[in-house]
Amino acid sequence: MAIFDLFRLDGKTALVTGCKRGIGKAMALALAEAGADILGVSASLETTGSEVEQEVTALGRAFRGYRCDFADRAALYEFIRQVQADSPVIDILINNAGTILRKPALEHPDEYWDQVLEVNLNAQFILSREFAKGMVAQGSGKIIFTASVLTFQGGITVPGYAASKGGIGQLTKALANEWAGSGVQVNAIAPGYVRTDNNQALQDDPARYNAILERIPAGRWGETDDFKGPVLFLASAASNWVNGEILTVDGGWMGR
């Protein structure tokens, strides 16, 4: 196989969660450009006519949109049933959807903790378990989590988020251990500080923004397009012997 052909996704179907904007949208577009048809879901995604749908179809690929609140366990299972009815084969699962709620630990309410863990960790396990059944049966598949540099660090005023992303790191390894022998690669991408809605509070705080910027060896915050190459690598045949890896895409933050 020619080297560039390793990165082609022709004939593949990818389910991308949290695809409406930010990193998830960039990932969906990267996979579509490489040849994959896209199933996309977000809590507020328009089921037809969304911006991401228009951009995917402009690349010549099919797109089907879904709306689901992953904090609602019953809605999550209904979403899974609908996807399985619409598209029996899912070749690539991008577990990108997530949320963050900020409040110091002494003031961090149960509701914040429960919501963040439900969306960021519980739903990710359920999605992986249910769609991996088909992948294991067909002997191939790719599951990619969006982790975080807070998979490795504690952060400030985001105890639920840090706990959830730490859990994603361990879940990546646990599932890789079980499914690698069945031809299913499970890996994660750990973004650093990126210009997205999740980090808007930090971008709006000049002191925090500059303190973070000064620590990034690359000298800039990340952009969503920085994740197109990494996700394509992990979603393609180029990574067929990569299992349980947490790939940091952070401008060098974790090496500082």
Side-chain angles (χ1 to χ4, degrees), residues 149 153 215-217 248 250-256:
V149 292
Q153 300 177 316
R215 179 180 160 155
I216 301 173
T248 54
D250 63 354
W253 176 275
M254 289 303 302
R256 190 63 177 258

Side-chain angles (χ1 to χ4, degrees), residues 10 64 101 103 117 156 176 206 225 235:
D10 302 286
R64 185 188 292 267
L101 295 171
K103 196 172 280 290
L117 268 290
I156 301 171
D225 279 358

Side-chain angles (χ1 to χ4, degrees), residues 96-162:
N96 170 74
T99 190
I100 188 167
L101 295 171
R102 301 176 185 275
K103 196 172 280 290
L106 290 177
E107 305 165 17
H108 208 81
D110 291 355
E111 293 78 12
Y112 276 26
W113 177 271
D114 291 343
Q115 181 176 344
V116 170
L117 268 290
E118 189 66 26
V119 172
N120 291 10
L121 187 58
N122 296 345
Q124 312 306 316
F125 170 68
I126 292 168
L127 288 163
S128 300
R129 181 190 65 204
E130 295 305 308
F131 289 113
K133 293 174 182 177
M135 295 178 181
V136 169
Q138 71 183 11
S140 65
K142 303 280 186 174
I143 298 176
I144 303 163
F145 291 96
T146 297
S148 169
V149 292
L150 296 196
T151 298
F152 313 102
Q153 300 177 316
I156 301 171
T157 73
V158 287
Y161 183 83

